[in-house]
Amino acid sequence: MKLNFKKKDQYICPYCFSKHDLSDVEFICKNDLQECRNAKEGFPLKLRSEDNKNEMPDHMFCNECGETTNTKICPTCHMELPYTIGNYDDLIFAVIGAKEAGKSHYIAVLIDKIMNEIGSAFNCSLQAMNDTTITRYRNDFYNPVFKKNEVISVTRSAKTDSSVKTPLIYSLSFREDGFFGKFLKANKKTNVVTIAFFDTAGEDLDSEDTMKTVNRYIYNSSGIIFLLDPLQLEKVRENLPKDTPLPEQNTEIEDLLSRTGNLIRRANGIKMDKLIDIPVAVAFSKIDAVESLIDPSSCINYSGKHVKEGYFDLADFEDVNGTMEALVRSWGGENFANQLSSNFKDYAYFGLTALGCNPESNKIIKLRPHRVEDPFLWLLYKYKLIKGEKRK
Ligand SMILES: Nc1nc2c(ncn2[C@@H]2O[C@H](COP(=O)(O)OP(=O)(O)OP(=O)(O)O)[C@@H](O)[C@H]2O)c(=O)[nH]1
Ligand SMILES: [Mg+2]
Ligand SMILES: [Zn+2]
Ligand SMILES: [Zn+2]
């Protein structure tokens, strides 16, 4: 796997991760008004075998009712494919972390942040690709956090709730016009990527077998955001004021990391002496909860210039990366840090808080997000979708 996009002679289904030639796609007729039998029974319409292998047709005629249809489905799992499938590069971002690490709240706040602030700063826009994404984001993520100011409930295992296996799929398109155009990749007019976000249930990361079957996107991912709850670290728990509400201790963070590494190695045939080249953003979540343990002058308490200036602020990034790695190590995460560097080629440390407050007692949120965009922007920077600059 290289850090460039998957070649566009094939596409990957974002639901079952099977790989297909561009012409290997099926359609379904949606003409149920005229009582088309294909539409009623949901029969897949197959292309003729002589069709060009390297081209994805954008529509097809239904052999029953003669109407055209542009609803594409995956020939393997029959899920409806994003309508842009095959046209653009696909990025799959997986958010992983132990139970209660803060993944769901992070996704809720990140997507809103991208839609609002990142969009205007980087001249791009994030659009949901299908109704499932719109409804799921609204009901499971946006409404609790932004409308009701309540905590999101525990994500259920994908084994019992299949919607967990379904990604939130967006297209992120960059426009080159206007002032910000010059920050984009020089030789391209516009860049469009399809981004799939996966929220995992922490409990599905407790065994490699479950990870392999229900979390297949992890080893197919283009970027991993690994959330670490600082409140799980022994030294943090000991040093916080005695009345701080602490979550129950669960999975050892390094176990989860080694399980992830092993899974990726096995699935992609990467030997132990080679580094995995999926970029990993390790981010301390809930940084608000450990404020008292961090030097008030630390860079983590400020914000980078990313959003204000519309480029990835490399000077700030390096400061935060160094500071957070040192914190991880000094808080008892030495083994975690060593495992990370001996398994992954490209990784960086971040610190963020999605909520900016601890909702523990009354479950009510007073939203004050801080630095949630950093890992995401770093991944976009790694894929050369945004430009990085080092300015004082
Ligand atoms: N202080 C603080 N607490 C947070 C923050 N985000 C989440 N929490 C707390 O952590 C709990 C778990 O957060 P979730 O986002 O549900 O965690 P998760 O990783 O999705 O957990 P699973 O779905 O069980 O895997 C929440 O109920 C909050 O109490 C944050 O930014 N700051
Ligand atoms: Mg969750
Ligand atoms: Zn599929
Ligand atoms: Zn029809």
Side-chain angles (χ1 to χ4, degrees), residues 110-274:
L110 175 67
I111 287 174
D112 182 72
K113 191 93 177 174
I114 304 171
M115 286 193 162
N116 294 300
E117 290 164 49
I118 307 293
S120 44
F122 290 87
N123 214 24
C124 60
S125 68
L126 188 76
Q127 272 185 334
M129 293 288 280
N130 51 32
D131 287 345
T132 326
T133 298
I134 296 176
T135 330
R136 178 143 180 261
Y137 178 66
R138 197 194 295 132
N139 295 343
D140 296 357
F141 297 91
Y142 185 86
N143 285 350
V145 176
F146 291 91
K147 279 235 164 108
K148 301 191 206 141
N149 298 312
E150 284 172 9
V151 294
I152 300 174
S153 32
V154 175
T155 308
R156 292 202 292 171
S157 165
K159 285 187 274 188
T160 52
D161 182 349
S162 65
S163 76
V164 171
K165 268 189 284 189
T166 321
L168 297 166
I169 305 180
Y170 294 90
S171 76
L172 183 68
S173 43
F174 292 86
R175 296 173 299 274
E176 208 190 3
D177 52 9
F179 172 73
F180 287 104
K182 67 173 194 272
F183 294 119
L184 298 176
K185 213 172 160 184
N187 57 356
K188 271 199 179 174
K189 274 239 150 33
T190 52
N191 252 322
V192 184
V193 280
T194 310
I195 300 186
F197 289 102
F198 280 90
D199 181 20
T200 325
E203 70 165 280
D204 287 344
L205 300 171
D206 283 347
S207 90
E208 203 184 312
D209 271 351
T210 319
M211 276 173 92
K212 205 164 81 191
T213 48
V214 302
N215 303 324
R216 264 193 280 184
Y217 56 86
I218 292 175
Y219 52 81
N220 284 297
S221 62
S222 341
I224 294 174
I225 298 179
F226 195 112
L227 289 187
L228 264 183
D229 181 355
L231 300 175
Q232 290 293 335
L233 296 174
E234 204 55 62
K235 294 229 171 93
V236 171
R237 297 173 82 93
E238 283 164 14
N239 291 326
L240 278 174
K242 288 287 160 282
D243 56 346
T244 316
L246 292 173
E248 245 175 82
Q249 265 181 306
N250 50 38
T251 324
E252 295 290 336
I253 50 169
E254 53 261 42
D255 293 347
L256 178 48
L257 183 67
S258 55
R259 222 175 283 130
T260 307
N262 290 342
L263 176 71
I264 297 173
R265 286 184 185 285
R266 255 192 276 277
N268 296 324
I270 306 168
K271 296 215 179 72
M272 281 314 281
D273 59 351
K274 290 255 160 40

Side-chain angles (χ1 to χ4, degrees), residues 97-103 154 202 229 232 247-248 250 285-286 360:
K99 213 165 161 37
E100 283 195 79
K103 300 177 292 295
V154 175
D229 181 355
Q232 290 293 335
E248 245 175 82
N250 50 38
S285 60
K286 314 185 188 176
E360 216 52 55

Side-chain angles (χ1 to χ4, degrees), residues 29-31 36-39 62-67:
C29 175
K30 287 241 158 153
N31 186 17
C36 166
R37 202 167 63 102
N38 281 345
C62 172
N63 60 348
E64 271 286 316
C65 67
E67 290 292 314

